[in-house]
Amino acid sequence: MASINETVTLKLPAYAHIDLEGIEGEFSAFKKVKKSDIPKVVEAYEAFEPSAYADEPFLEHARVYALRVALEKIGLPLDVPSKSLEKYLEKRDDAEDT
């Protein structure tokens, strides 16, 4: 499932012509976000206008990508990397077999 999510997450913007670079640019002012800076990141997300980066049918997808970027900036990534998940599942399966 993580692999499918990763594939869709990477391919949807190309199909839908969502400007990921532009979305990332909205949050480029935030490098290392401290706890005190989190409200500024939230403000930037609330001010985000998806119509500047995607066409009508994909506005909510652009908003999700902006949320993804904002959360990553504050250290809360949405996705579990598929490779990390695979390693975890392999270790768990090995432990169950013994």
Side-chain angles (χ1 to χ4, degrees):
M1 296 291 280
S3 176
I4 293 169
N5 180 54
E6 191 172 39
T7 300
V8 170
T9 299
L10 293 173
K11 294 196 179 207
L12 181 67
Y15 167 77
H17 305 290
I18 297 172
D19 180 8
L20 291 183
E21 288 181 14
I23 292 172
E24 290 171 4
E26 288 280 332
F27 300 92
S28 64
F30 305 105
K31 302 295 180 206
K32 290 191 174 188
V33 176
K34 299 175 189 169
K35 194 172 185 177
S36 61
D37 294 328
I38 292 174
K40 294 174 189 169
V41 176
V42 172
E43 284 177 24
Y45 175 72
E46 288 176 340
F48 177 75
E49 289 295 330
S51 59
Y53 304 100
D55 294 329
E56 180 64 35
F58 300 104
L59 294 180
E60 289 308 310
H61 293 285
R63 190 178 311 280
V64 169
Y65 279 93
L67 178 60
R68 185 179 309 269
V69 171
L71 289 173
E72 286 174 1
K73 291 291 183 178
I74 61 174
L76 298 170
L78 284 179
D79 299 315
V80 174
S82 59
K83 289 184 182 186
S84 299
L85 185 58
E86 271 182 48
K87 287 180 183 180
Y88 167 77
L89 292 173
E90 286 173 8
K91 286 180 183 178
R92 188 191 71 178
D93 289 344
D94 289 343
E96 287 177 0
D97 290 341
T98 57

